[in-house]
Amino acid sequence: MTRMSRARSARRIAAGAAYGGGGVGLAGAAAVGLLLAEARLARWRVGNGVTPHVPNADGLYGAAYTVPGEPALRLTMLGDSTAAGQGVHRAGQTPGALLASGVAAIAERPVGLSTVAVPGARSDDLDRQVSRALADPARAPDICVIMVGANDVTHRLSPALSVRHLASAVRRLRTAGAEVVVGTCPDLGTIEPVWQPLRWLARRASRQLAAAQTIGTVEQGGRTVSLGDLLGPEFAANPRELFGPDNYHPSAEGYATAAMAVLPTACAALGLWPADQERPDASRREGFLPVARAAAEAASEAGTEVAAVTPTGYRGPWALLKRRRRRRVGETEPSPASPSGV
């Protein structure tokens, strides 16, 4: 699928989210039977996270930066098993812990982490998660990171409905004053036990949803980071290192790669990134694009950020597409601090 056709598909899905509709057409329905048959086999071979253990990573990170009278920043993780950190054994290996440690090191300020993400969650669970995140106005988050979409694809949640729930969640969080970064639907075609043609169908559906998620998020004032093939060529080159034991969820190294891709965008949203790095760099093919085109570009390249710049313009809203430099697995990165309670 070309990027232009993906942009058109993303616009249709986003329009369906806004105005209703978005059901499976006849062409899509013809593939559903095959998709379901092979998905059952793939799920049996993968296990789909049969061990639901998720380390509790909630707590205070970067406590050494505490200054009397200055409150800690608050980070909340929402979404599915990848946001929660399923597949690793230690709290410090979860994406929330890695992000909290990274933000604390860059801001030189402690960060309180709260996780409301739930393994197996789809986008239709986000409303409940947002209510939990905003339940105590005195502890409202400064920034929220949402990672969701994979279960929407595997459980056939309507893409338009999926984007509608996500956009609503972003709108509620932004209205409450939180910055929002969404890690869009990962490319399920990278999962090793998934065979053709399911692999191709999964990749197509994942990227279509990721592009539509970007439109829905940016239109509500959030930012997105494309998780693509689970955040970079490392997964394609080293799947046995970067996938966990169930071959479905990321390993500790995989989550580190994910966190390092999201960290620059989270810091930029909080105003912590150097101002000179906020300007688009033509040498990295960054620039201002119609939001649908930016969404399609991002869905094709993992680690790409899209942020709103103007609410209206020629061919609709415009967005800034950035390809921020991110650390690779094995590079020096902030060491996760042990949580000491929020």
Side-chain angles (χ1 to χ4, degrees):
M1 172 177 286
T2 67
R3 293 179 182 179
M4 289 304 295
S5 62
R6 185 176 298 123
R8 288 192 294 270
S9 295
R11 280 196 297 266
R12 285 196 298 269
I13 293 170
Y19 304 112
V24 178
L26 289 177
V32 166
L34 177 61
L35 183 67
L36 290 177
E38 295 217 9
R40 282 192 291 269
L41 179 59
R43 190 176 294 125
W44 176 79
R45 296 188 68 208
V46 168
N48 200 15
V50 293
T51 303
H53 171 70
V54 179
N56 181 6
D58 288 4
L60 188 70
Y61 292 78
Y65 297 114
T66 300
V67 174
E70 183 177 3
L73 291 169
R74 296 194 178 277
L75 163 66
T76 299
M77 300 292 295
L78 303 91
D80 57 24
S81 55
T82 51
Q86 184 175 349
V88 296
H89 300 290
R90 295 195 295 273
Q93 298 172 327
T94 63
L98 292 164
L99 283 170
S101 295
V103 171
I106 292 170
E108 296 187 348
R109 185 174 169 186
V111 175
L113 171 65
S114 176
T115 304
V116 297
V118 178
R122 304 178 305 188
S123 295
D124 53 7
D125 189 52
L126 288 176
D127 183 63
R128 184 190 63 82
Q129 293 184 23
V130 170
S131 294
R132 285 188 60 197
L134 301 179
D136 184 355
R139 300 164 69 88
D142 295 291
I143 184 166
C144 295
V145 174
I146 303 174
M147 300 169 71
V148 74
N151 295 315
D152 297 31
V153 174
T154 59
H155 291 78
R156 298 176 60 205
L157 184 66
S158 159
L161 186 59
S162 174
V163 173
R164 191 180 309 160
H165 284 297
L166 176 60
S168 175
V170 174
R171 181 169 57 252
R172 289 181 63 193
L173 293 169
R174 294 289 292 134
T175 300
E179 299 293 337
V180 181
V181 177
V182 174
T184 56
C185 182
D187 184 350
L188 299 180
T190 61
I191 299 172
E192 272 199 322
V194 176
W195 297 333
Q196 296 289 13
L198 178 60
R199 183 185 294 272
W200 181 85
L201 291 169
R203 171 165 288 126
R204 183 173 184 269
S206 301
R207 291 188 176 185
Q208 280 185 334
L209 178 57
Q213 286 178 318
T214 293
I215 295 175
T217 298
V218 168
E219 288 182 345
Q220 299 303 324
R223 302 180 186 221
T224 64
V225 177
S226 170
L227 301 194
D229 52 356
L230 286 180
L231 300 167
E234 297 94 340
F235 277 90
N238 304 299
R240 298 193 184 281
E241 293 180 17
L242 299 183
F243 280 116
D246 61 7
N247 288 332
Y248 187 85
H249 294 96
S251 64
E253 292 82 1
Y255 279 127
T257 301
M260 290 307 101
V262 174
L263 179 61
T265 299
C267 289
L270 289 167
L272 302 174
W273 218 240
D276 62 341
Q277 294 188 26
E278 291 304 287
R279 293 188 292 270
D281 185 341
S283 69
R284 293 202 298 263
R285 295 178 292 115
E286 299 178 346
F288 301 100
L289 297 169
V291 66
R293 182 178 164 192
E297 292 272 350
S300 300
E301 185 174 345
T304 306
E305 174 189 325
V306 180
V309 288
T310 58
T312 59
Y314 174 65
R315 294 174 63 187
W318 282 63
L320 172 61
L321 180 82
K322 288 193 67 66
R323 296 175 171 88
R324 298 184 185 275
R325 186 192 182 278
R326 58 191 177 91
R327 294 181 177 91
R328 303 286 181 179
V329 172
E331 285 190 76
T332 302
E333 58 193 38
S335 298
S338 297
S340 57
V342 177

